[in-house]
RNA sequence: GCCGGGUUGGCUGAGUGGUUUAGGCGUCCGCCUGCAGAGCGGAUCCACGGGGGUUCGAAUCCCUCGCCCGGCUCCA
């Protein structure tokens, strides 16, 4: 098959044609969240970008096996569940639920698996055992460590020169019982507190729990195989997390671990870093209080995933307006399709519409193929929206309009916009509202505008938006 | 300090040597309209962090300085 998509690969630091190992199958793994709190809007950006890449590859004919893991055991989950007086399981299940609902709201497709680290502990133990047998891992006082001197390629992904860094790292070196400052834990032996709370697993090295990095190596291996096509995550994960994963997995299998490394840029706020301690933290909930999840997804799309995204409330409002406008085109289409069939001809207007739509779609596809350049793609989407809006100001040829609409919706769907849109209600609601707007129309004909406005206001209070047009009155339920 | 990325209009955001430096939002004007909304048409006045350099020509290449982000260190 053809492979038109170009993706930027962190390992080779260049954009290159995306060719999966076994087309049309694509194996894709995204490093998911540690579930110890509400979802972070910067984090959600990374996952939405992952969703977008997946959708685009599917649009391009690939069968994407997409996995997004859940880290449900680590220092923070253990600490905070203790503070909250809950068991680790209760605590992480709660936040896993919150996280998945957040993804749903943002219209991210569910992965084929959202594996939890705690479900793969036996496999992790086996994996570590093998590394130990190969002489790459060693058992120390407080855990089992990976000996990075045994992996010559260490540092290739992140460009970190371990030799250099070590010299400034004396202090932390003394704190641990490991042989080299950059050796990292594969297995952490249980602390007295963890033993008391029952947070541990039996292993050949005594009770304990897996290290963070080993989780991803084992779960990718179990679910997607030894070599995967795409491994993605936030830019902060490049070092040490992903570097360590490469070391573990390639030491274990002797094969290339990942063909394309994709890292998403962080989200900023007002041009700087966002943090709870900086007092400028904006939560997902804060955003949803003022704006639709659709608009939030649009904001994510408005910047290419590899560029910094600056969150501001004015950008958020802008996104809201834009989304409203794009959705309005769907309303205009719907209304025009309901209208009279008084145009059955194919003339210049029709030719122009289809030509514009076709050209814009081609350009949209080119932009997306070029490392998922969403800002450019959105520009072409607007060209289609505008062309349709203009066309329906006149009598519509329903065949031609339907064709244009089909392309428009296809592109909206691939971006994950308006898939769950519903403007209507059930049949009774629909007939009632139509009856009310018909009665109001009578009042308007009598020039009884005050009464007509009261009806309009009361409908708005009930969540029904109406618009008067030359063809009559149209309505839709507010989302 | 070291390594990597960034710095474009009121906001957002394309564009890596040469016709007008996209698109969106906002704002303004007009059309339509009982009003509102939506839509259509038009407008938005020297916008490329500072300073040097290369070139016939630079937002784009080179040098330098500033600021921002990520990593090196718990922080997504």
């Amino acid at each position: 098959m053809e492979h038109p998509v170009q993706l930027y690969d962190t390992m080779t630091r260049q954009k290159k044609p995306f060719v999966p190992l076994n087309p049309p199958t694509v194996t894709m793994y995204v490093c998911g969240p540690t579930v110890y709190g509400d979802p972070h809007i910067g984090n959600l950006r990374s996952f939405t970008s992952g969703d977008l890449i997946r959708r685009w590859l599917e649009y391009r004919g690939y069968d994407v096996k997409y996995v997004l893991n859940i880290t449900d055991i680590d220092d923070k989950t253990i600490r905070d569940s203790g503070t909250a007086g809950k068991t680790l399981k209760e605590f992480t299940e709660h936040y896993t639920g919150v996280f998945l609902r957040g993804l749903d709201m943002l219209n991210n497709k569910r992965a084929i698996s959202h594996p939890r680290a705690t479900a793969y502990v036996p496999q992790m133990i086996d994996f570590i055992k093998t590394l130990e047998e190969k002489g790459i891992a060693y058992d120390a006082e407080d855990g089992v460590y990976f000996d990075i001197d045994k992996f010559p390629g260490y540092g290739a992904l992140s460009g970190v020169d371990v030799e250099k860094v070590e010299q400034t790292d004396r202090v932390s070196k003394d704190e641990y019982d490991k042989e080299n400052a950059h050796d990292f834990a594969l297995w952490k032996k249980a602390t007295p507190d963890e033993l008391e709370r029952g947070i541990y697993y039996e292993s050949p090295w005594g009770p304990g729990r897996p290290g963070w990095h080993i989780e991803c190596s084992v779960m990718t291996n179990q679910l997607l195989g030894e070599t995967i096509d795409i491994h993605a995550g936030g830019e902060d994960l490049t070092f040490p997390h992903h570097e360590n994963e490469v070391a573990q997995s390639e030491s274990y299998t002797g094969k290339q671990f990942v063909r394309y490394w994709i890292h998403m840029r962080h989200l900023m706020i007002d041009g700087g870093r966002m943090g709870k301690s900086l007092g400028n933290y904006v939560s997902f909930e804060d955003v949803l209080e003022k704006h639709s999840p659709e608009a939030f997804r649009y904001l994510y799309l408005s910047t290419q995933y590899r560029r910094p995204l600056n969150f501001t409330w004015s950008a958020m409002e802008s996104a809201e307006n834009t989304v409203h406008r794009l959705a309005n085109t769907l309303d205009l289409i719907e209304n025009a399709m309901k209208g009279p069939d008084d145009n059955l001809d194919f003339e210049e207007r029709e030719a122009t519409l289809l030509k514009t739509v076709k050209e814009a779609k081609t350009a949209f596809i080119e932009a997306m193929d070029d490392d998922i350049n969403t800002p450019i793609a959105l520009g072409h989407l607007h060209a289609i929206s505008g062309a349709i809006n203009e066309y329906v100001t006149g009598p519509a040829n329903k065949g031609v309009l339907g064709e244009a609409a089909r392309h428009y919706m296809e592109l909206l769907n691939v971006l994950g916009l308006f898939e769950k849109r519903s403007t209507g209600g059930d049949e009774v609601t629909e007939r009632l509202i139509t009856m009310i707007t018909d009665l109001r129309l009578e009042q308007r004909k009598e020039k009884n505008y005050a009464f007509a406005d009261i009806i309009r206001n009361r409908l708005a209070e009930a969540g029904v938006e109406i618009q008067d047009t030359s063809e009559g009155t149209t309505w839709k339920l507010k989302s």
Side-chain angles (χ1 to χ4, degrees):
Chain A
M1 67 189 283
E2 300 258 328
H3 298 289
V5 180
Q6 300 258 332
L7 291 176
Y8 183 90
D9 170 44
T10 306
M11 181 69 88
T12 52
R13 289 173 182 72
Q14 61 182 344
K15 218 185 273 181
K16 55 185 197 184
F18 175 69
V19 182
L21 190 59
N22 299 306
T25 299
V26 171
T27 47
M28 179 167 180
Y29 184 95
V30 177
C31 277
T34 301
V35 281
Y36 70 106
D38 290 330
H40 186 289
I41 62 171
N43 221 328
L44 288 172
R45 181 198 185 194
S46 294
F47 303 131
T48 303
S49 299
D51 177 66
L52 196 67
I53 294 168
R54 174 217 192 155
R55 282 171 183 268
W56 188 248
L57 293 174
E58 286 177 346
Y59 182 80
R60 281 314 221 164
Y62 298 103
D63 173 22
V64 184
K65 297 202 182 316
Y66 186 75
V67 173
L68 178 82
N69 75 291
I70 306 282
T71 296
D72 61 349
I73 182 165
D74 81 320
D75 291 339
K76 286 171 298 217
T77 47
I78 291 170
R79 180 194 66 204
D80 292 356
S81 60
T83 308
K86 290 187 175 164
T87 66
L88 182 64
K89 193 170 194 292
E90 284 171 343
F91 184 81
T92 57
E93 269 181 4
H94 170 75
Y95 285 114
T96 301
V98 173
F99 171 68
L100 292 173
R101 282 193 293 280
L103 289 189
D104 289 347
M105 273 190 267
L106 285 169
N107 219 9
N108 283 356
K109 289 170 73 171
R110 285 289 176 100
I112 61 164
S113 174
H114 289 287
R116 285 157 297 176
T118 52
Y120 288 83
V121 175
Q123 292 91 329
M124 294 176 197
I125 291 172
D126 284 345
F127 197 105
I128 298 167
K129 233 191 284 177
T130 302
L131 289 178
E132 194 180 30
E133 282 160 14
K134 288 188 173 194
I136 295 163
Y138 59 91
D139 192 358
E141 188 77 17
D142 58 352
V144 179
Y145 287 92
F146 186 99
D147 182 352
I148 62 163
D149 288 340
K150 299 281 167 60
F151 187 71
Y154 195 83
L157 176 66
S158 58
V160 169
D161 185 344
V162 180
E163 303 282 321
K164 256 188 189 171
V165 180
E166 269 172 41
Q167 297 171 356
T168 59
D169 216 12
R170 287 271 167 74
V171 181
S172 61
K173 189 174 178 175
D174 291 341
E175 288 175 10
Y176 294 96
D177 177 41
K178 48 186 177 180
E179 294 170 1
N180 183 311
H182 272 79
D183 288 354
F184 55 90
L186 298 165
W187 185 260
K188 294 188 159 192
K189 294 181 183 175
T191 64
D193 176 57
E194 287 163 13
L195 285 173
E196 195 180 317
R197 292 180 60 200
I199 303 173
Y200 63 84
Y201 297 84
E202 291 300 342
S203 82
W205 316 281
R209 60 184 165 93
W212 175 37
H213 313 297
I214 198 70
E215 298 172 7
C216 291
S217 279
V218 169
M219 291 189 284
T220 51
N221 186 288
Q222 291 287 313
L223 291 161
L224 299 173
E226 295 183 330
T227 298
I228 65 169
D229 292 310
I230 298 174
H231 192 126
E235 61 175 320
D236 56 310
L237 299 178
T238 312
F239 188 89
H241 185 53
H242 290 158
E243 194 71 61
N244 292 352
E245 281 187 52
V246 173
Q248 291 164 341
S249 292
E250 297 194 353
S251 295
Y252 181 86
T253 65
K255 293 176 184 163
Q256 182 182 23
F257 175 42
V258 169
R259 292 166 61 81
Y260 298 83
W261 281 101
I262 293 179
H263 290 99
M264 292 89 168
R265 263 298 140 64
H266 278 186
L267 174 145
M268 299 192 298
I269 184 160
D270 296 326
R273 178 202 175 110
M274 180 169 93
K276 282 176 186 165
S277 56
L278 297 174
N280 62 359
Y281 184 81
V282 174
S283 71
F284 188 41
E285 235 174 68
D286 293 337
V287 175
L288 293 181
E289 255 176 43
K290 294 183 183 169
H291 295 284
S292 65
E294 209 90 64
F296 200 33
R297 187 175 176 100
Y298 187 92
L299 181 77
Y300 286 147
L301 297 177
S302 68
T303 304
Q304 202 252 359
Y305 76 91
R306 228 152 37 73
R307 313 271 296 184
L309 167 63
N310 191 26
F311 179 94
T312 60
W313 287 108
S314 83
M316 200 54 237
E317 277 162 37
S318 168
E320 189 77 74
N321 290 338
T322 307
V323 159
H324 193 74
R325 213 171 122 79
L326 290 175
N328 197 254
T329 295
L330 294 175
D331 291 338
L332 292 173
I333 292 167
E334 208 172 295
N335 290 332
M337 294 303 269
K338 278 191 227 158
D341 261 322
D342 51 5
N343 178 356
L344 301 172
D345 301 321
F346 189 88
E347 290 178 355
E348 205 187 328
R349 291 179 62 235
E350 283 72 32
T352 303
L353 174 66
L354 290 187
K355 185 167 177 281
T356 305
V357 170
K358 202 180 164 191
E359 284 173 359
K361 185 177 177 183
T362 302
F364 178 103
I365 290 170
E366 262 176 44
M368 290 296 282
D369 278 346
D370 181 18
D371 201 23
I372 320 294
N373 195 334
T374 43
I376 293 285
L378 287 174
H380 298 300
L381 191 69
H382 282 107
I384 296 178
S385 162
I388 291 174
N389 289 352
E390 191 186 351
Y391 182 71
V392 296
T393 57
N397 176 325
K398 290 185 187 174
V400 171
L401 179 60
E403 180 69 6
R406 189 177 63 76
H407 291 299
Y408 182 53
M409 288 190 272
E410 181 180 310
L411 299 185
L412 284 172
N413 286 347
V414 78
L415 296 177
L417 292 171
F418 311 128
E419 282 179 334
K420 291 180 285 194
R421 186 166 172 275
S422 70
T423 51
D426 58 50
E427 202 188 326
V428 175
T429 310
E430 225 166 274
R431 288 173 65 174
L432 280 172
I433 294 172
T434 304
M435 184 185 83
I436 293 167
T437 56
D438 283 350
L439 290 172
R440 176 171 167 275
L441 200 58
E442 293 299 316
Q443 297 301 315
R444 289 181 64 221
K445 278 180 187 162
E446 302 289 323
K447 298 204 187 297
N448 195 354
Y449 294 125
F451 190 46
D453 289 349
I454 288 170
I455 295 174
R456 182 168 60 195
N457 290 339
R458 294 290 299 271
L459 281 173
E461 283 167 24
V464 181
E465 271 181 1
I466 63 172
Q467 285 182 25
D468 296 321
T469 71
S470 49
E471 307 289 329
T473 300
T474 66
W475 60 268
K476 64 177 175 180
L477 295 180
K478 274 167 97 175
S479 48

